[in-house]
Amino acid sequence: MSAQTEPADDAVLQDEPARYDVVETATPFRSERVIDVRTDVVRMPNGDTAQRDVVVHPGAVGIIALDDDDRVLLVRQYRHAVGHFCWEPPAGLLDERGENPLAAARRELFEEAHVEAGRWDVLVDGFTSPGMTDEAVRVYLARDVGSAPGERHEGEHEEADMPTRWVPLDHAVDAVLAGQLHNPMAVMGLLATAQARRDGFARIRPADAPWPQMSDWPGSRAAHT
């Protein structure tokens, strides 16, 4: 094995867009609802080819709503694939063509918790499972929160019965570290909020920060739409 030079400890640490050549592709499954499954034959750097299955996903947004008492808002939702009731931040799909992610986040906070927020920032971006899906998520931090005016949104199916709970941030973080919470947006959002709080949220990004992973990254998100 050839030796590789390790970058300096203070070098920029950043994921980089890349795309191996796809020599053949097909979409054997289309749900006509949320996901497709695409099969690519990918040429590796050494010239070999390998088949890779990709769950094509429209992306999603989540919201960590933080009140003046350092409590975060969580909702409990049934998740059939894993057979759990999961405590999660309010969240939703980006399945409306052209919808602004921040507008989607505002809508989901209202629909799932009947809450509105006066201040919005970007907390963290992520790929939920990059070994198998192109799903990209953005988690916002919402502050200056309060009950929304008007009638409460009536959900359906799993969303028809979603209890909400305001939880002290430190308690929620303890639950993550104890293995009691599993939703990826809850884990990344709660831990990021706790870390960002240490310097008064000085390093978080504005609500309109670029999100290239949902626009010009080298995946095939456009194939889904």
Side-chain angles (χ1 to χ4, degrees), residues 60-68 70-75 87-92 101-102 104-106 108-110 112-113 115-125 137-146 165-170 172-173 176 181 183-197 201 204:
V61 291
I63 308 98
I64 299 295
L66 183 69
D67 71 6
D68 293 338
D70 248 11
R71 299 181 304 169
V72 294
L73 177 65
L74 299 176
V75 300
W87 284 103
E88 313 173 351
L102 178 58
R106 292 182 185 274
E108 294 297 338
L109 184 60
F110 170 79
E112 294 197 354
V115 168
E116 62 181 7
R119 179 170 182 176
W120 291 81
D121 297 280
V122 173
L123 185 59
V124 66
D125 297 331
V137 299
R138 167 160 282 187
V139 182
Y140 290 92
L141 177 65
R143 288 175 286 176
D144 298 337
V145 296
R165 182 177 174 187
W166 286 97
V167 182
L169 175 58
D170 291 337
V173 168
V176 169
L181 300 181
N183 174 272
M185 282 199 278
V187 172
M188 71 175 71
L190 293 169
L191 296 181
T193 301
Q195 178 65 25
R197 181 183 57 177
F201 302 102
I204 58 177

Side-chain angles (χ1 to χ4, degrees), residues 14-199:
Q14 182 173 339
D15 295 339
E16 298 179 11
R19 184 68 165 175
Y20 290 172
D21 290 338
V22 175
V23 299
E24 185 179 336
T25 188
T27 305
F29 174 77
R30 295 184 184 274
S31 71
E32 306 299 334
R33 294 188 299 277
V34 177
I35 66 168
D36 297 337
V37 177
R38 190 185 73 237
T39 298
D40 293 337
V41 178
V42 183
R43 189 178 306 282
M44 300 297 167
N46 67 355
D48 292 344
T49 59
Q51 181 174 301
R52 295 291 179 262
D53 296 326
V54 180
V55 177
V56 182
H57 191 281
V61 291
I63 308 98
I64 299 295
L66 183 69
D67 71 6
D68 293 338
D69 295 321
D70 248 11
R71 299 181 304 169
V72 294
L73 177 65
L74 299 176
V75 300
R76 194 186 75 156
Q77 185 167 354
Y78 172 67
R79 294 301 190 182
H80 182 72
V82 294
H84 276 67
F85 284 106
C86 292
W87 284 103
E88 313 173 351
L93 296 171
L94 293 171
D95 53 356
E96 294 293 332
R97 181 186 292 270
E99 183 176 27
N100 179 276
L102 178 58
R106 292 182 185 274
R107 185 191 69 244
E108 294 297 338
L109 184 60
F110 170 79
E111 291 184 355
E112 294 197 354
H114 202 67
V115 168
E116 62 181 7
R119 179 170 182 176
W120 291 81
D121 297 280
V122 173
L123 185 59
V124 66
D125 297 331
F127 296 131
T128 56
S129 186
M132 61 166 286
T133 178
D134 67 355
E135 181 183 9
V137 299
R138 167 160 282 187
V139 182
Y140 290 92
L141 177 65
R143 288 175 286 176
D144 298 337
V145 296
S147 296
E151 295 184 4
R152 190 178 184 94
H153 174 77
E154 294 293 334
E156 60 179 7
H157 306 306
E158 292 94 337
E159 296 182 356
D161 181 23
M162 290 199 307
T164 63
R165 182 177 174 187
W166 286 97
V167 182
L169 175 58
D170 291 337
H171 178 63
V173 168
D174 287 344
V176 169
L177 298 178
Q180 297 167 204
L181 300 181
H182 304 88
N183 174 272
M185 282 199 278
V187 172
M188 71 175 71
L190 293 169
L191 296 181
T193 301
Q195 178 65 25
R197 181 183 57 177
R198 297 179 64 179
D199 63 2

